[in-house]
Amino acid sequence: MRGAVLAAAAMLAAAAHAANPASWTQDQPPFRIHGDTYYVGSQGLASILVVSPEGDVLIDGDLPESASKIATSVRALGFRLEDVKLILNSHVHFDHAGGIAELQRITGARVLASEPSAAVLRAGGVGRGDPQEGLIPGIAPTAEVEVVKDGETVRVGPIELTAHVTAGHTPGGTTWTWKSCEKARCVNVVYADSLTPIAARGYLFSDSAHRATLAGFARSYETLRTLPCDLLITPHPEVSDFWGRIARRVPGDADALVDPTACVRLAASAHEQLERRLDAERAGRVR
Ligand SMILES: [Zn+2]
């Protein structure tokens, strides 16, 4: 009986794993995005390193199996893991936060997150009230997590990153902004959290019980529309045509990555996606 249960659990785990896009674990050599901002993720899942002489910041730990690859990428760039002083997160799903517990162990860094996200990081699993509860695997608990407030700026040496809670996809989803400079020229970088209305079977965004989720989405679109935004990066790189922009970049010229309309366009397409989802729910095409 126990063997059968274990076999079933293994099959479920394998099925969940098989459902992950191959790009999520496809190796990507790390590289400089702009100024002190580097890419240390895989082809399909972003992980961002911001460096300074007084310590570095890592955003997103991706899948559990990504942690060692991210660590390898940080070292391959010539940076030291013990210099990572802070780990931040877009949202607490297994594909962006799955490696954070392990990365904290490896680096000894502080982990900071919005209040709803911090609760999930500490407890592990999937957050109560998360639209995808029951649909996705949970995350391992992170030993120590501190809370950052909406609008708060966190610092490591000269690096200043500001947290903007952009709820909807998860209750505590957070967009991070900072300035990246190359010589005298600085750009506003926006690491915009996912805004896709994805839910487990039975969760309807149009349900009156989920008004707070809809209000969160509405505020998130407004936040994204109004943020100073020159260089947009998204946890799923393809959502902001990141690889297309990288391919168009002339080596040494960061301008191919810069698009001050990118955040406004992302907010509009995310809003459209939600409207389509709500139409489908009201028409009974999603249950
Ligand atoms: Zn997600």
Side-chain angles (χ1 to χ4, degrees), residues 129-133 168 197-214 217 274 276-287:
D130 187 308
Q132 294 187 52
E133 188 182 6
I198 302 169
R201 196 175 166 78
Y203 184 107
L204 296 178
F205 291 97
S206 53
D207 189 325
S208 61
H210 300 142
R211 268 196 206 112
T213 304
L214 288 191
F217 272 123
L274 179 63
R276 274 201 304 273
R277 164 82 192 205
L278 291 172
D279 285 347
E281 288 183 3
R282 289 178 187 127
R285 296 197 301 273
V286 179
R287 288 166 202 284

Short mmCIF file of all heavy atoms in Angstrom, two decimals, residues 129-133 168 197-214 217 274 276-287:
data_model
loop_
_atom_site.label_atom_id
_atom_site.label_comp_id
_atom_site.label_asym_id
_atom_site.label_seq_id
_atom_site.Cartn_x
_atom_site.Cartn_y
_atom_site.Cartn_z
N GLY A 129 -5.43 31.07 -0.82
CA GLY A 129 -6.02 32.15 -1.60
C GLY A 129 -5.27 32.45 -2.89
O GLY A 129 -5.66 33.32 -3.65
N ASP A 130 -4.19 31.70 -3.12
CA ASP A 130 -3.49 31.84 -4.40
C ASP A 130 -4.37 31.22 -5.48
O ASP A 130 -4.85 30.11 -5.32
CB ASP A 130 -2.15 31.09 -4.32
CG ASP A 130 -1.27 31.33 -5.53
OD1 ASP A 130 -1.75 31.15 -6.67
OD2 ASP A 130 -0.10 31.68 -5.34
N PRO A 131 -4.60 31.95 -6.60
CA PRO A 131 -5.47 31.39 -7.65
C PRO A 131 -5.01 30.02 -8.15
O PRO A 131 -5.82 29.23 -8.62
CB PRO A 131 -5.39 32.44 -8.77
CG PRO A 131 -5.07 33.73 -8.06
CD PRO A 131 -4.19 33.33 -6.91
N GLN A 132 -3.72 29.73 -8.02
CA GLN A 132 -3.21 28.44 -8.53
C GLN A 132 -3.05 27.39 -7.44
O GLN A 132 -2.43 26.35 -7.67
CB GLN A 132 -1.88 28.66 -9.27
CG GLN A 132 -2.07 29.51 -10.53
CD GLN A 132 -0.81 29.59 -11.36
OE1 GLN A 132 -0.20 28.58 -11.70
NE2 GLN A 132 -0.41 30.81 -11.69
N GLU A 133 -3.62 27.64 -6.25
CA GLU A 133 -3.56 26.64 -5.17
C GLU A 133 -4.24 25.36 -5.64
O GLU A 133 -5.39 25.39 -6.09
CB GLU A 133 -4.27 27.20 -3.93
CG GLU A 133 -4.10 26.33 -2.70
CD GLU A 133 -4.84 26.89 -1.48
OE1 GLU A 133 -5.58 27.88 -1.63
OE2 GLU A 133 -4.68 26.30 -0.40
N GLY A 168 -2.37 40.06 -7.87
CA GLY A 168 -3.30 39.56 -8.88
C GLY A 168 -2.93 38.14 -9.25
O GLY A 168 -3.65 37.19 -8.97
N PRO A 197 -3.72 35.92 -15.51
CA PRO A 197 -4.83 35.40 -14.69
C PRO A 197 -4.98 33.89 -14.87
O PRO A 197 -5.86 33.42 -15.57
CB PRO A 197 -6.04 36.16 -15.24
CG PRO A 197 -5.69 36.42 -16.68
CD PRO A 197 -4.19 36.49 -16.78
N ILE A 198 -4.10 33.16 -14.22
CA ILE A 198 -4.13 31.69 -14.31
C ILE A 198 -4.66 31.16 -12.99
O ILE A 198 -4.29 31.66 -11.92
CB ILE A 198 -2.71 31.13 -14.58
CG1 ILE A 198 -2.15 31.73 -15.87
CG2 ILE A 198 -2.72 29.61 -14.63
CD1 ILE A 198 -0.67 31.44 -16.08
N ALA A 199 -5.55 30.14 -13.06
CA ALA A 199 -6.15 29.64 -11.82
C ALA A 199 -6.36 28.13 -11.90
O ALA A 199 -6.46 27.54 -12.98
CB ALA A 199 -7.48 30.33 -11.58
N ALA A 200 -6.41 27.54 -10.71
CA ALA A 200 -6.76 26.13 -10.60
C ALA A 200 -8.23 25.95 -11.00
O ALA A 200 -9.01 26.91 -10.96
CB ALA A 200 -6.54 25.65 -9.17
N ARG A 201 -8.58 24.72 -11.37
CA ARG A 201 -9.96 24.41 -11.72
C ARG A 201 -10.87 24.80 -10.55
O ARG A 201 -10.56 24.51 -9.40
CB ARG A 201 -10.06 22.91 -12.00
CG ARG A 201 -11.31 22.52 -12.73
CD ARG A 201 -11.26 21.03 -13.08
NE ARG A 201 -12.61 20.58 -13.48
CZ ARG A 201 -13.12 20.82 -14.68
NH1 ARG A 201 -12.43 21.47 -15.59
NH2 ARG A 201 -14.36 20.41 -14.97
N GLY A 202 -11.95 25.48 -10.85
CA GLY A 202 -12.89 25.86 -9.79
C GLY A 202 -12.68 27.26 -9.26
O GLY A 202 -13.55 27.79 -8.57
N TYR A 203 -11.56 27.87 -9.58
CA TYR A 203 -11.30 29.25 -9.13
C TYR A 203 -11.71 30.18 -10.27
O TYR A 203 -11.14 30.14 -11.36
CB TYR A 203 -9.82 29.44 -8.81
CG TYR A 203 -9.48 30.82 -8.24
CD1 TYR A 203 -9.16 30.99 -6.90
CD2 TYR A 203 -9.48 31.95 -9.07
CE1 TYR A 203 -8.84 32.24 -6.38
CE2 TYR A 203 -9.17 33.21 -8.56
CZ TYR A 203 -8.85 33.35 -7.22
OH TYR A 203 -8.54 34.58 -6.72
N LEU A 204 -12.72 31.00 -10.01
CA LEU A 204 -13.17 31.95 -11.03
C LEU A 204 -12.84 33.37 -10.57
O LEU A 204 -13.24 33.79 -9.48
CB LEU A 204 -14.68 31.80 -11.26
CG LEU A 204 -15.13 30.45 -11.84
CD1 LEU A 204 -16.64 30.41 -11.98
CD2 LEU A 204 -14.46 30.18 -13.19
N PHE A 205 -12.12 34.10 -11.42
CA PHE A 205 -11.78 35.48 -11.08
C PHE A 205 -13.05 36.34 -10.99
O PHE A 205 -13.06 37.36 -10.31
CB PHE A 205 -10.81 36.06 -12.11
CG PHE A 205 -9.44 35.44 -12.05
CD1 PHE A 205 -9.08 34.41 -12.90
CD2 PHE A 205 -8.51 35.88 -11.12
CE1 PHE A 205 -7.83 33.82 -12.84
CE2 PHE A 205 -7.24 35.31 -11.04
CZ PHE A 205 -6.90 34.28 -11.91
N SER A 206 -14.12 35.92 -11.70
CA SER A 206 -15.37 36.69 -11.70
C SER A 206 -16.21 36.43 -10.45
O SER A 206 -17.20 37.12 -10.21
CB SER A 206 -16.18 36.33 -12.95
OG SER A 206 -16.34 34.92 -13.03
N ASP A 207 -15.83 35.45 -9.65
CA ASP A 207 -16.54 35.14 -8.40
C ASP A 207 -16.43 36.33 -7.45
O ASP A 207 -15.34 36.87 -7.26
CB ASP A 207 -15.88 33.89 -7.79
CG ASP A 207 -16.67 33.33 -6.62
OD1 ASP A 207 -17.26 34.15 -5.86
OD2 ASP A 207 -16.66 32.10 -6.44
N SER A 208 -17.56 36.70 -6.84
CA SER A 208 -17.55 37.88 -5.95
C SER A 208 -16.59 37.68 -4.77
O SER A 208 -16.10 38.65 -4.19
CB SER A 208 -18.96 38.18 -5.45
OG SER A 208 -19.45 37.08 -4.71
N ALA A 209 -16.28 36.42 -4.44
CA ALA A 209 -15.33 36.15 -3.36
C ALA A 209 -13.92 36.59 -3.72
O ALA A 209 -13.06 36.71 -2.85
CB ALA A 209 -15.33 34.65 -3.03
N HIS A 210 -13.68 36.83 -5.01
CA HIS A 210 -12.32 37.17 -5.47
C HIS A 210 -12.20 38.62 -5.93
O HIS A 210 -11.33 38.95 -6.74
CB HIS A 210 -11.89 36.20 -6.57
CG HIS A 210 -11.88 34.77 -6.12
ND1 HIS A 210 -12.27 33.72 -6.92
CD2 HIS A 210 -11.56 34.23 -4.91
CE1 HIS A 210 -12.18 32.58 -6.23
NE2 HIS A 210 -11.75 32.86 -5.00
N ARG A 211 -13.08 39.47 -5.37
CA ARG A 211 -13.03 40.90 -5.72
C ARG A 211 -11.67 41.51 -5.42
O ARG A 211 -11.18 42.35 -6.15
CB ARG A 211 -14.10 41.67 -4.94
CG ARG A 211 -15.39 41.77 -5.70
CD ARG A 211 -16.31 42.83 -5.13
NE ARG A 211 -17.67 42.45 -5.46
CZ ARG A 211 -18.57 42.07 -4.57
NH1 ARG A 211 -18.28 42.07 -3.28
NH2 ARG A 211 -19.77 41.71 -4.95
N ALA A 212 -11.06 41.07 -4.29
CA ALA A 212 -9.77 41.64 -3.90
C ALA A 212 -8.70 41.31 -4.94
O ALA A 212 -7.80 42.11 -5.20
CB ALA A 212 -9.35 41.11 -2.53
N THR A 213 -8.81 40.13 -5.54
CA THR A 213 -7.85 39.74 -6.58
C THR A 213 -8.00 40.66 -7.79
O THR A 213 -7.01 41.15 -8.35
CB THR A 213 -8.06 38.27 -6.99
OG1 THR A 213 -7.97 37.46 -5.82
CG2 THR A 213 -7.02 37.80 -8.00
N LEU A 214 -9.26 40.90 -8.20
CA LEU A 214 -9.50 41.79 -9.35
C LEU A 214 -9.01 43.20 -9.04
O LEU A 214 -8.41 43.86 -9.90
CB LEU A 214 -10.98 41.83 -9.71
CG LEU A 214 -11.57 40.57 -10.36
CD1 LEU A 214 -12.97 40.86 -10.89
CD2 LEU A 214 -10.67 40.07 -11.50
N PHE A 217 -5.29 43.26 -9.44
CA PHE A 217 -4.90 43.36 -10.85
C PHE A 217 -5.03 44.81 -11.34
O PHE A 217 -4.13 45.34 -11.99
CB PHE A 217 -5.78 42.46 -11.73
CG PHE A 217 -5.28 41.05 -11.88
CD1 PHE A 217 -6.07 39.96 -11.51
CD2 PHE A 217 -4.02 40.80 -12.42
CE1 PHE A 217 -5.61 38.65 -11.67
CE2 PHE A 217 -3.56 39.50 -12.59
CZ PHE A 217 -4.36 38.42 -12.21
N LEU A 274 -6.96 39.51 -18.88
CA LEU A 274 -7.93 39.33 -17.80
C LEU A 274 -9.35 39.51 -18.32
O LEU A 274 -10.25 38.73 -17.96
CB LEU A 274 -7.65 40.31 -16.65
CG LEU A 274 -8.63 40.21 -15.47
CD1 LEU A 274 -8.55 38.83 -14.79
CD2 LEU A 274 -8.38 41.30 -14.44
N ARG A 276 -10.46 38.94 -21.30
CA ARG A 276 -10.80 37.74 -22.08
C ARG A 276 -11.15 36.58 -21.15
O ARG A 276 -12.09 35.83 -21.37
CB ARG A 276 -9.63 37.33 -22.99
CG ARG A 276 -9.62 38.03 -24.33
CD ARG A 276 -8.79 37.24 -25.36
NE ARG A 276 -7.43 37.00 -24.91
CZ ARG A 276 -6.43 37.86 -25.10
NH1 ARG A 276 -6.63 38.99 -25.72
NH2 ARG A 276 -5.22 37.57 -24.67
N ARG A 277 -10.38 36.44 -20.08
CA ARG A 277 -10.62 35.38 -19.10
C ARG A 277 -11.99 35.57 -18.43
O ARG A 277 -12.76 34.62 -18.28
CB ARG A 277 -9.49 35.38 -18.07
CG ARG A 277 -9.76 34.62 -16.79
CD ARG A 277 -9.54 33.13 -16.93
NE ARG A 277 -10.08 32.44 -15.76
CZ ARG A 277 -9.67 31.25 -15.33
NH1 ARG A 277 -8.73 30.61 -15.99
NH2 ARG A 277 -10.22 30.69 -14.28
N LEU A 278 -12.30 36.82 -18.04
CA LEU A 278 -13.58 37.10 -17.39
C LEU A 278 -14.74 36.83 -18.35
O LEU A 278 -15.77 36.26 -17.96
CB LEU A 278 -13.63 38.55 -16.89
CG LEU A 278 -12.68 38.88 -15.72
CD1 LEU A 278 -12.66 40.38 -15.43
CD2 LEU A 278 -13.06 38.11 -14.45
N ASP A 279 -14.58 37.21 -19.63
CA ASP A 279 -15.61 36.92 -20.65
C ASP A 279 -15.84 35.41 -20.74
O ASP A 279 -16.97 34.95 -20.79
CB ASP A 279 -15.17 37.44 -22.02
CG ASP A 279 -15.30 38.95 -22.13
OD1 ASP A 279 -15.95 39.56 -21.25
OD2 ASP A 279 -14.74 39.53 -23.09
N ALA A 280 -14.72 34.66 -20.77
CA ALA A 280 -14.81 33.20 -20.88
C ALA A 280 -15.51 32.61 -19.67
O ALA A 280 -16.34 31.69 -19.79
CB ALA A 280 -13.42 32.60 -21.04
N GLU A 281 -15.22 33.15 -18.49
CA GLU A 281 -15.86 32.65 -17.27
C GLU A 281 -17.36 32.93 -17.32
O GLU A 281 -18.18 32.06 -17.00
CB GLU A 281 -15.24 33.31 -16.03
CG GLU A 281 -13.83 32.83 -15.73
CD GLU A 281 -13.25 33.45 -14.45
OE1 GLU A 281 -13.97 34.21 -13.78
OE2 GLU A 281 -12.08 33.16 -14.15
N ARG A 282 -17.72 34.16 -17.70
CA ARG A 282 -19.14 34.55 -17.70
C ARG A 282 -19.91 33.76 -18.76
O ARG A 282 -21.11 33.55 -18.62
CB ARG A 282 -19.25 36.05 -17.93
CG ARG A 282 -18.78 36.84 -16.71
CD ARG A 282 -18.83 38.34 -16.92
NE ARG A 282 -18.21 39.03 -15.79
CZ ARG A 282 -17.24 39.94 -15.92
NH1 ARG A 282 -16.81 40.30 -17.12
NH2 ARG A 282 -16.73 40.52 -14.86
N ALA A 283 -19.21 33.36 -19.83
CA ALA A 283 -19.87 32.58 -20.88
C ALA A 283 -19.87 31.09 -20.53
O ALA A 283 -20.37 30.27 -21.29
CB ALA A 283 -19.14 32.81 -22.21
N GLY A 284 -19.31 30.74 -19.38
CA GLY A 284 -19.30 29.35 -18.94
C GLY A 284 -18.26 28.49 -19.65
O GLY A 284 -18.30 27.26 -19.59
N ARG A 285 -17.32 29.13 -20.33
CA ARG A 285 -16.29 28.37 -21.04
C ARG A 285 -15.14 27.97 -20.10
O ARG A 285 -14.31 27.15 -20.47
CB ARG A 285 -15.73 29.18 -22.22
CG ARG A 285 -16.75 29.49 -23.31
CD ARG A 285 -16.07 29.92 -24.62
NE ARG A 285 -15.23 31.09 -24.45
CZ ARG A 285 -15.68 32.36 -24.54
NH1 ARG A 285 -16.96 32.59 -24.80
NH2 ARG A 285 -14.85 33.36 -24.39
N VAL A 286 -15.08 28.59 -18.92
CA VAL A 286 -14.07 28.20 -17.92
C VAL A 286 -14.83 27.90 -16.64
O VAL A 286 -15.72 28.65 -16.26
CB VAL A 286 -13.08 29.36 -17.66
CG1 VAL A 286 -12.07 28.96 -16.60
CG2 VAL A 286 -12.40 29.78 -18.93
N ARG A 287 -14.49 26.80 -16.01
CA ARG A 287 -15.18 26.43 -14.77
C ARG A 287 -14.18 26.17 -13.67
O ARG A 287 -13.08 25.79 -13.93
CB ARG A 287 -16.03 25.18 -14.99
CG ARG A 287 -17.24 25.45 -15.82
CD ARG A 287 -17.85 24.13 -16.30
NE ARG A 287 -18.66 24.34 -17.47
CZ ARG A 287 -19.87 24.86 -17.46
NH1 ARG A 287 -20.43 25.22 -16.33
NH2 ARG A 287 -20.55 25.04 -18.58
#
